[in-house]
Amino acid sequence: MKRVKTYISAAILLSAVFLLAGCGADTGDATEKLQIEPITDADENAVQADTRTENKTEETDDKAAADEDSVAEENEAGTDKTEETDITEQPETPADGTAVYEDVLAQYRDMVQHDFYREFLDSDDYESHFGEAIGVEIRTHRQGVFYAFYDIDGNGTAELVIAGEEDDVGVSNPAFAPWNYDLYGFDGNKVVSLFPDMEFGYRTNFSLHGDGVIEVFYSGSAAETGIDFYRIGDDGFTPEIIDSFAAVAHLEGEETVFTYSQNGSEITEEVYKSALKSYQTPLTEELKWEQIY
C-alpha cells in the first residue's frame, strides 16, 4: 500500500513541474529548485516489508477468529456428546429395584408351568428340577403361587414376598389370604433370602406389619409357640430382632395353664397380649398380589 502511495505522490509532483514549466521563463528558478528524488531499492524494500507486515497482521487476526470459531464448535459438539452419553447410560430398571428379582420369579414361574415337576416325582433327580431360590415347603404340593413387592424398611428398594394359596380363591376375592413362604431382599449385588435359616410353611411363617415390623411365628409343638419381631438393619437386607415372646402350655391337674415370657422373662397374659398388639399394626399400603402362571 505504501509503495502505491509513493508512486501517486511522484506523479503529482511531476504534474506540478510540467505546469510550472508551461507558464514561461519566470518559473525557471522554481523548476530548477524542484528536485524529484528517484525511488530507491531501499524505499521499495521498505514498502514491501510494510505490506508483508500488514498482510501478516491481517492473517493473524483471521486465524485467531477462525480458532475461536473452531473452539466454540468443539465445545458445542462436546456438550452434545456428553448429553447423549448421559441419556444412553441411564439405567432402565425400575426406581424401586424390583427388576432384580426377575430370576427368582422365573424359577417359580417355571415350577408352576411344569406342574411342580410332578412328572419327575418318582425319579432320582426330582429335587434338581426346582430352582435354588424355591423353598422346601412351597414345593411339597401343587397350589397357587403369588408374589408381591413391598418396601418394608422404606429405603427405596422393595422386598419380594412369595406366597401360596390352595383354595383357588383369587386375589380379587376379599377372602384371599395366602400363606407366606419366603421373603427376599437385595444386598446391592444379588438377591438374598432375608431368613436363610428358616423354612416358612408348616410350622413357621411370617407377616408384615406397619413401621417396618416383620413378625415371625413358629410352634415347636401344640403346647409351645413363639413370636419374634424383626426390623431390617441399616444394610437393607439383614433382619435384626427387636423383641421375642413365647407361650408355653402345661397341665395342672386337668387344667391347661399357659406361661408367657418376653425375652426370656415371665410376664402376665395381659402384658403378653398388649405387647403383641403394639407391634401388629396395619401396613400403610396393602400388598398388591400377582399370581404366577
Side-chain angles (χ1 to χ4, degrees):
M1 293 296 292
K2 289 185 178 181
R3 184 174 184 177
V4 173
K5 291 177 182 177
T6 302
Y7 291 157
I8 294 172
S9 299
I12 294 172
L13 289 174
L14 287 173
S15 299
V17 170
F18 293 146
L19 181 61
L20 290 173
C23 292
D26 291 340
T27 60
D29 293 338
T31 302
E32 292 177 357
K33 292 180 180 179
L34 183 61
Q35 300 291 327
I36 303 301
E37 295 182 0
I39 299 174
T40 65
D41 292 339
D43 293 333
E44 186 173 351
N45 292 336
V47 170
Q48 291 177 353
D50 291 341
T51 302
R52 286 196 299 270
T53 302
E54 193 172 278
N55 291 339
K56 185 175 182 181
T57 301
E58 293 176 356
E59 291 176 358
T60 302
D61 292 341
D62 293 340
K63 186 175 185 302
D67 289 341
E68 289 183 3
D69 293 339
S70 177
V71 170
E73 291 176 358
E74 289 179 1
N75 290 338
E76 185 176 353
T79 302
D80 294 341
K81 184 176 182 181
T82 300
E83 292 176 353
E84 182 179 352
T85 301
D86 291 342
I87 293 173
T88 303
E89 293 179 354
Q90 287 179 351
E92 297 180 357
T93 54
D96 59 4
T98 56
V100 300
Y101 299 109
E102 180 52 37
D103 181 61
V104 173
L105 293 173
Q107 293 180 38
Y108 279 100
R109 193 177 298 115
D110 189 75
M111 178 184 73
V112 171
Q113 292 176 353
H114 288 83
D115 195 25
F116 288 67
Y117 308 111
R118 292 171 64 85
E119 61 180 301
F120 304 104
L121 187 60
D122 297 327
S123 65
D124 294 335
D125 63 347
Y126 168 66
E127 292 295 337
S128 66
H129 291 281
F130 293 92
E132 61 180 6
I134 298 176
V136 173
E137 294 289 343
I138 197 172
R139 66 176 70 173
T140 56
H141 59 280
R142 183 195 304 156
Q143 57 186 308
V145 180
F146 303 84
Y147 71 93
F149 297 113
Y150 197 86
D151 187 0
I152 299 172
D153 55 352
N155 68 347
T157 300
E159 281 69 42
L160 169 64
V161 186
I162 296 291
E165 209 274 339
E166 300 178 35
D167 298 329
D168 198 24
V169 173
V171 295
S172 60
N173 194 311
F176 177 72
W179 195 247
N180 296 329
Y181 278 97
D182 218 332
L183 183 60
Y184 300 91
F186 185 65
D187 68 1
N189 294 305
K190 62 183 184 301
V191 175
V192 295
S193 175
L194 267 64
F195 295 93
D197 298 327
M198 297 184 186
E199 284 295 342
F200 296 114
Y202 180 56
R203 289 188 176 276
T204 304
N205 216 270
F206 70 91
S207 294
L208 305 181
H209 301 298
D211 198 26
V213 173
I214 305 171
E215 177 184 355
V216 176
F217 45 94
Y218 53 90
S219 61
S221 65
E224 182 179 356
T225 60
I227 299 177
D228 296 332
F229 293 97
Y230 296 83
R231 285 193 180 94
I232 298 177
D234 293 337
D235 61 7
F237 61 91
T238 302
E240 297 177 352
I241 193 165
I242 55 177
D243 225 338
S244 181
F245 299 87
V248 180
H250 62 277
L251 289 175
E252 291 186 1
E254 296 182 356
E255 183 180 1
T256 302
V257 178
F258 284 88
T259 301
Y260 302 94
S261 63
Q262 180 180 14
N263 300 316
S265 299
E266 188 172 342
I267 57 176
T268 66
E269 182 179 4
E270 290 75 14
V271 171
Y272 173 82
K273 291 181 177 179
S274 177
L276 296 186
K277 187 176 181 180
S278 68
Y279 287 114
Q280 296 167 339
T281 58
L283 294 172
T284 54
E285 294 181 9
E286 292 295 325
L287 295 179
K288 298 178 181 179
W289 293 105
E290 296 286 344
Q291 185 166 1
I292 296 177
Y293 294 101

